[in-house]
Amino acid sequence: ATFTGTVAAVSRKGYVLANDEGCMQIFYGTDYFSQYAIGDQVTAKGIVKTFDYGSEIFHFHDEYISYDEDFVFPAPEILTAEAIDNYVASTHGLAPYKDNVIPTTYVQVTGTLMIEGTAYNIYVDGTPYAVNIFTPDSNTQMLAAEMAGQHVVLSGYTIKLTGGNKLGVVFSSMALA
């Protein structure tokens, strides 16, 4: 598969490419050291696979094209407690195959940031499920650690379920609410 788009989010394991047709997680499988930044235009080629109810391009070759100084994030889907419940419930009882994946969508969620072991999770009142944040680097993790226990607003891209009950989101930005 080949996917060309603009880097819209970066995590320690890869990045999200976005174009007019949609979004795709590009997954390295090992630590990724920010070769690309938000706004870079890239073409990625590889195998599309499903993991934890998310689609990703894996075992790939990617190539830098240019920087898109006009890149603008789309209007986010607001993740309410009900929306988070719906994402998680949409996979219950289904095998994690390509027809049963969580769409990669730009979202915004407001809730309480908690650090649980090595996981950075946001909890929203009204749902037992959490949003698990995939951060780009240790600097972002240190920033998040300073916000722990506080009400935050996170923007990023949904990519999968982690642990079967946390909605995985690749970090684009986060601030105190």
Side-chain angles (χ1 to χ4, degrees), residues 33-83:
F33 296 102
S34 300
Q35 177 180 353
Y36 302 118
I38 292 174
D40 287 344
Q41 291 183 319
V42 176
T43 294
K45 298 177 184 179
I47 300 166
V48 176
K49 64 177 250 181
T50 302
F51 181 73
D52 285 347
Y53 298 98
S55 288
E56 60 195 24
I57 292 182
F58 189 73
H59 292 296
F60 64 91
H61 167 77
D62 53 2
E63 181 178 317
Y64 176 82
I65 300 169
S66 65
Y67 180 75
D68 180 3
E69 57 189 58
D70 296 325
F71 176 72
V72 176
F73 289 102
E77 174 187 342
I78 304 301
L79 287 182
T80 61
E82 180 180 8

Side-chain angles (χ1 to χ4, degrees), residues 92-171:
H92 282 180
L94 302 174
Y97 299 126
K98 66 179 180 176
D99 295 333
N100 304 325
V101 297
I102 289 174
T104 302
T105 305
Y106 187 62
V107 296
Q108 184 178 77
V109 61
T110 302
T112 303
L113 175 64
M114 303 299 290
I115 300 174
E116 300 167 324
T118 60
Y120 292 72
N121 298 315
I122 294 178
Y123 288 90
V124 176
D125 289 340
T127 179
Y129 306 116
V131 171
N132 181 233
I133 307 168
F134 289 80
T135 59
D137 54 36
S138 58
N139 290 335
T140 306
Q141 288 177 336
M142 287 190 302
L143 171 68
E146 294 173 7
M147 296 181 190
Q150 298 183 65
H151 219 59
V152 299
V153 178
L154 170 76
S155 296
Y157 286 83
T158 56
I159 56 166
K160 64 181 180 177
L161 286 183
T162 59
N165 62 0
K166 292 182 178 88
L167 179 60
V169 173
V170 177
F171 175 99

